[in-house]
Amino acid sequence: MKRLILSLVCALGLSQAAFAQDLTALARVDPAASAIKDGWWGRSTLELHLSQGVPFRVFTLNDPPRLVVDFREADFSSVKSVDLLKVPGRVAAVRFGAFQPGWSRLVAELSEPMLPRQIGMPVGEGTGRAVLEIDLKTVSNETFAAASGTPKDPNWTPAFLNAAKPPHAGDDRFTVVLDPGHGGLDPGAVRDGVTEKDLMLAFARTLAEELRRAGVEVVMTRDDDIFVALETRVAIAHQSEGDLFISLHADILSQGGAQGATVYTLSNEASDAATEHLAARHDRSDIIAGADLTGSDDQVASVLLDLARQETEPRSAALARALVARMKAAGGPMNRRPLREAGFSVLKSADIPSVLVEVGFLSSKRDLANLRDPVWRAVMVGGIVEAIVQWRDEDAARAVLVRQ
């Protein structure tokens, strides 16, 4: 038995570790043999049985406390959360799935601060099978905070943001950035085996195709089942010099009997309690997927919000009105209050008109049936394309009048 063990001395703040073994193939997770369990004296253990050893890294994040394990690459497709965590305890919840191309991620939400004391991946010499073993120990809030944070690794910058800006012929290009919500280990809403992330990716691909046929340039924040952080989605819009940003969702919301397509624009205050709850759920996506939110500056966010109001709010509102009108004309169905406002983080671009479209709500049986119907999707896509083209032409005409 070949064994790799890292002993971590929490008092010295050594809570981050990375392994780079020369192992590259996909490792399947064995749910029957894997488990997360609480022990005595503030100890908990995570055991993940894999078909083979793979490179991995382990670190913790604060606010809220989380343990994050990245794999290159582990297949969690046959695993459910309850397989690993049968009884929530010091580990309150666990989720896993695709994170970035070639990488998978497991995020364990901690009900109290715990740091790894030992990390190992024994690999069987005869079988090649491996067991990731993490021994956790309760520590003080101060010790946990001091030891937590994402490891600094320039290779983890999204490839898109490192790429040169695409060349454009002429100055009359018009680029729409489509943002299919959620992705990877963040499925979004789930109902009857259908996930929001899959529905919105399929919808966005169809919409992108129709927009390109209409002569519109399209950039997708994701074109695969991967996780993209909220701030990265906005950064992609800026990197591509987008003229519009449209985030696509199909959430579950029991409050107010949510159903029908709804278009949201940015506001410091939500239109209503249900919308405020929805915005909070959307913004939780980064926490769910193990994004590091430390260092966020509320004052900077406030400045961006003010700038967005001054420079883009009227244009975003005009886009929202056009979308509602054309989607309604296409047959909808629309929400009884189809125009709403909230402080969605993904809309906080200071210089790009941005809207978030709930194409429907999975909490509604009717909306779910529509979203699964390719004929309905095609009709709704057509309405959205008409709205975008209409807005583009009217916005250009208004810009000429402003210059005069």
Side-chain angles (χ1 to χ4, degrees):
M1 178 78 73
K2 184 172 71 176
R3 185 175 182 83
L4 296 173
I5 297 180
L6 175 65
S7 296
L8 301 178
V9 182
C10 295
L12 297 177
L14 302 177
S15 70
Q16 299 177 0
F19 294 82
Q21 302 100 315
D22 187 19
L23 304 165
T24 56
L26 183 69
R28 294 182 301 279
V29 179
D30 182 354
S34 303
I36 299 173
K37 298 179 180 179
D38 282 344
W40 296 99
W41 312 111
R43 303 283 287 271
S44 297
T45 59
L46 182 152
E47 280 194 9
L48 203 66
H49 288 246
L50 306 166
S51 60
Q52 65 177 57
V54 290
F56 68 99
R57 68 176 189 174
V58 179
F59 58 97
T60 55
L61 296 174
N62 201 15
D63 296 326
R66 287 154 289 162
L67 172 76
V68 181
V69 186
D70 290 326
F71 303 88
R72 187 178 177 93
E73 173 176 25
D75 177 11
F76 286 93
S77 59
S78 62
V79 188
K80 298 179 180 179
S81 296
V82 70
D83 294 331
L84 302 185
L85 185 63
K86 294 180 172 57
V87 180
R90 296 187 189 94
V91 176
V94 63
R95 54 187 54 85
F96 33 77
F99 182 65
Q100 293 190 15
W103 286 86
S104 305
R105 170 167 285 189
L106 179 148
V107 180
E109 294 184 11
L110 307 178
S111 60
E112 58 189 64
M114 294 190 294
L115 289 176
R117 296 297 300 270
Q118 288 187 319
I119 302 175
M121 183 178 280
V123 179
E125 294 181 358
T127 64
R129 296 182 65 84
V131 182
L132 173 64
E133 300 173 344
I134 302 178
D135 180 19
L136 297 160
K137 180 72 169 63
T138 298
V139 296
S140 68
N141 290 325
E142 294 75 15
T143 300
F144 186 88
S148 296
T150 303
K152 303 302 180 184
D153 184 351
N155 295 324
W156 279 75
T157 302
F160 185 95
L161 300 182
N162 287 328
K165 295 178 181 178
H168 299 294
D171 297 328
D172 59 348
R173 71 175 184 86
F174 178 76
T175 302
V176 174
V177 179
L178 296 181
D179 175 45
H182 308 280
L185 76 167
D186 173 22
V190 181
R191 180 174 180 180
D192 296 344
V194 177
T195 63
E196 180 182 3
K197 67 173 183 177
D198 291 338
L199 281 175
M200 290 303 98
L201 180 57
F203 192 91
R205 285 171 172 168
T206 302
L207 179 55
E209 183 179 343
E210 293 303 314
L211 283 169
R212 291 179 179 125
R213 288 178 180 173
V216 175
E217 198 167 314
V218 178
V219 171
M220 302 265 284
T221 59
R222 68 178 183 95
D223 198 10
D224 204 348
D225 183 22
I226 60 171
F227 170 78
V228 182
L230 295 176
E231 67 175 11
T232 303
R233 296 170 190 262
V234 177
I236 289 172
H238 284 101
Q239 175 76 3
S240 60
E241 298 181 348
D243 296 290
L244 279 185
F245 179 90
I246 301 177
S247 191
L248 300 167
H249 291 264
D251 217 295
I252 285 178
L253 191 60
S254 58
Q255 290 177 278
Q259 59 181 345
T262 313
V263 182
Y264 297 85
T265 52
L266 181 66
S267 174
N268 198 21
E269 296 183 2
S271 303
D272 50 76
T275 300
E276 183 176 10
H277 177 71
L278 183 65
R281 283 191 54 179
H282 279 242
D283 287 357
R284 184 172 161 75
S285 291
D286 279 7
I287 294 176
I288 286 174
D292 191 351
L293 304 183
T294 56
S296 298
D297 190 334
D298 292 339
Q299 184 176 0
V300 172
S302 178
V303 171
L304 287 177
L305 188 60
D306 291 341
L307 285 172
R309 281 177 168 173
Q310 295 173 15
E311 301 296 331
T312 64
E313 185 182 61
R315 300 172 68 205
S316 297
L319 172 62
R321 290 192 297 269
L323 283 166
V324 167
R326 292 291 185 169
M327 293 167 75
K328 182 177 181 180
M334 306 301 295
N335 187 270
R336 59 185 177 85
R337 290 181 55 199
L339 285 170
R340 304 197 184 209
E341 300 177 340
F344 292 97
S345 292
V346 78
L347 299 183
K348 291 182 180 177
S349 171
D351 55 354
I352 302 174
S354 305
V355 296
L356 186 148
V357 180
E358 291 282 353
V359 186
F361 289 89
L362 297 192
S363 42
S364 163
K365 290 184 178 180
R366 179 196 65 188
D367 287 2
L368 176 58
N370 284 338
L371 288 164
R372 301 176 79 169
D373 180 359
V375 175
W376 182 90
R377 291 200 305 267
V379 173
M380 185 59 76
V381 161
I384 294 175
V385 171
E386 290 177 0
I388 291 171
V389 172
Q390 172 190 328
W391 181 91
R392 176 195 63 187
D393 297 342
E394 292 177 352
D395 188 69
R398 284 191 293 267
V400 172
L401 292 176
V402 170
R403 285 195 295 270
Q404 293 175 349

